[in-house]
Amino acid sequence: MHKSMKAAAITQWGDAGVFQLSQLPVPAPAADEVLIKVAYAGINPADWKMRAGHLKSQLPATDAPLVLGLDASGIVVASGAQVSEFAEGDRVVCASNLFSTGAPGTYAEYLVVSKNKVAHLPGTVSLKAAATMPIAAITAKQALFASDKGNLQPGQKVKIFINGASGGVGSFAVQLAKWAGAEVATSCSSANLDYVKSLGADCLIDYKTQDIAYELSRWAPQGVDLILDAVSAGSLEDPFLLLKPGGKLVSIATLTDDGDVEADMARAQQHGVSKILAFVSDANLGKEMAQLLELVDTGKITTPTAEVFPLDKVAQAHQKLETGHVRGKLLLRLCAERQ
Ligand SMILES: NC(=O)c1ccc[n+]([C@@H]2O[C@H](COP(=O)([O-])OP(=O)(O)OC[C@H]3O[C@@H](n4cnc5c(N)ncnc54)[C@H](OP(=O)(O)O)[C@@H]3O)[C@@H](O)[C@H]2O)c1
């Protein structure tokens, strides 16, 4: 095995130009960790917010090269003494330890992660498709179904509005809500209407040309039961007026653009509804991913469309990410010799 690896690292916070292609040592797995040869790294909006320094209080300093990247797919090449679940050659998908321990992330040829953040891939799911999933899919799943968030029960006849349906989180949220039996209205721009329709949305609202409140009041005259906002505070005018009494607004925490959360929660209460700011937890990502991968394997949901960049084009990928108008997912290709 190689002793050094290629990685896109940063040594200062800043714009997309701060990435440097570096040679770094291949990390060694601890007893409960797995060493993965990365095929594709997922690119998530949190990555540019980290790169720009917005989340620096939660990250290691950049006096040594810092490798970003929260999720990936790849092949297991080694594992620690306490790992019996994974063996060399296994095709897997995972979240990185970057946010939990500050360990290097997935923008590198090799990655060490805790075994509970790894899941086996079914034979039907390619490494490329799998890399679109971890953070986006479990964020959507938890926002819709966790008891302290959307608390959606499969089979429940409810109307859900997903704001920002064409991005990574939205692509999974639309499909998971439909799989659970809900009726789903969505917002996206004109260019993404066909894509969001292909995900199964019942009602499409073009936020560039249509009035969301008016269109939703025609679709759900009593108001909707649940709003999942995957855009930002302020992207919806008066969201509480769109909900039924007792309804919920689950806002995915953007970490940079969440408005005055306490004031919003108080205002929601005055309207007889609630607002929840949702943070994803990847502590049990392996188990949660196994459930989601089964849905993909059995054709209940599909993975989003993805645009792939080679590692040396990471700056271009981040420039695109930062526009906030990605369709589906962006991925970095590391060493994808096997699908
Ligand atoms: N805190 C957490 O635990 C956590 C976890 C995951 C994600 N997040 C956050 O959740 C947000 C969404 O993540 P993501 O991965 O889905 O992002 P993404 O893939 O970059 O998605 C962006 C999508 O938002 C749409 N959009 C932008 N402005 C819109 C508007 N005004 N109305 C409707 N749609 C709009 C864009 O569609 P158009 O091109 O059609 O405009 C694009 O498809 C990000 O802020 C991310 O940081 C937080």
Side-chain angles (χ1 to χ4, degrees), residues 43-49 135-136 139-140 162-171 187-193 195-196 205 207-208 212 229-232 235-236 252-258 278-281 320-321 323-330:
I43 301 180
N44 292 283
D47 301 0
W48 78 255
K49 297 168 191 174
I135 295 299
T139 300
I162 295 170
N163 190 41
S166 52
V169 174
S171 294
S187 70
C188 64
S189 65
S190 327
N192 286 325
L193 288 169
Y195 173 66
V196 174
I205 304 173
Y207 74 86
K208 298 262 191 193
I212 291 178
D229 183 5
V231 183
S232 64
S235 64
L236 293 171
I252 308 293
T254 66
L255 309 168
T256 50
D257 199 8
D258 294 316
F279 295 86
V280 70
S281 162
K320 178 149 197 181
L321 176 74
T323 65
H325 295 289
V326 169
R327 177 186 302 164
K329 286 289 300 181
L330 302 179

Side-chain angles (χ1 to χ4, degrees), residues 111-132:
L111 170 75
V112 152
V113 286
S114 315
K115 65 177 183 178
N116 61 348
K117 293 190 179 183
V118 186
H120 283 110
L121 289 187
T124 54
V125 182
S126 71
L127 289 166
K128 179 179 159 193
T132 66

